[in-house]
Amino acid sequence: MPAPTTPADASSTLALANRRRFIFRVELMHVVLGAIGFGVALLMAPEPVWIGVGAGAAVAIANFHAMAGLLERLTMGSMQSRSIAVGLLMVKLLVLGAAVLAILMLLSPDAVAFAGGLSATPLSLLLVSAFARPAAVSEEQG
């Protein structure tokens, strides 16, 4: 990436770096919560439950990662890149639906545990947002 030449470019570069840092933190929290949930379920619950938690967390992590990449292309890319990202979004939705269907049919997980594994996404977003520090304090805020 070339060095920013104007204050607007510098601000845009900083915003992109902050966004990427936030997404990285959410993905890391996602993996940690998924691993903890799977570990607890593996130790304390019957097989359909730990399969459900593990499969749900894995699908949620993969979906969030794919969505983050597509949203970056949609918001920061050229028009051609945006068009490709919209097409890839449709493909991602089909793959996600097929993956969920395959997991439910082939692995026979506990449905509640699967939904619990999927809930790692909103929980990760909530935790990272709640404990995130603001990047800079503006003059209006003091």
Side-chain angles (χ1 to χ4, degrees):
M1 181 180 288
T5 56
T6 66
D9 289 344
S11 175
S12 175
T13 303
L14 180 62
L16 181 60
N18 285 339
R19 181 187 308 175
R20 286 181 177 158
R21 188 175 312 115
F22 178 79
I23 289 171
F24 173 76
R25 288 178 180 164
V26 171
E27 287 179 335
L28 183 62
M29 179 64 71
H30 218 164
V31 170
V32 168
L33 289 175
I36 290 171
F38 179 72
V40 168
L42 185 63
L43 294 174
M44 301 179 74
E47 184 177 357
V49 172
W50 61 259
I51 288 174
V53 172
V59 166
I61 290 166
N63 184 55
F64 184 83
H65 183 75
M67 198 65 192
L70 288 172
L71 286 176
E72 184 171 332
R73 287 180 87 171
L74 280 169
T75 58
M76 302 299 290
S78 65
M79 281 307 275
Q80 182 179 8
S81 178
R82 290 177 186 178
S83 297
I84 292 170
V86 169
L88 289 174
L89 179 63
M90 297 304 146
V91 171
K92 183 201 79 68
L93 289 172
L94 288 172
V95 169
L96 176 64
V100 168
L101 183 63
I103 288 169
L104 292 176
M105 291 182 72
L106 298 174
L107 299 178
S108 300
D110 181 71
V112 174
F114 185 71
L118 289 173
S119 69
T121 300
L123 186 56
S124 297
L125 284 166
L126 181 68
L127 287 172
V128 172
S129 296
F131 296 109
R133 295 185 315 254
V137 177
S138 67
E139 291 179 18
E140 295 89 5
Q141 292 177 344

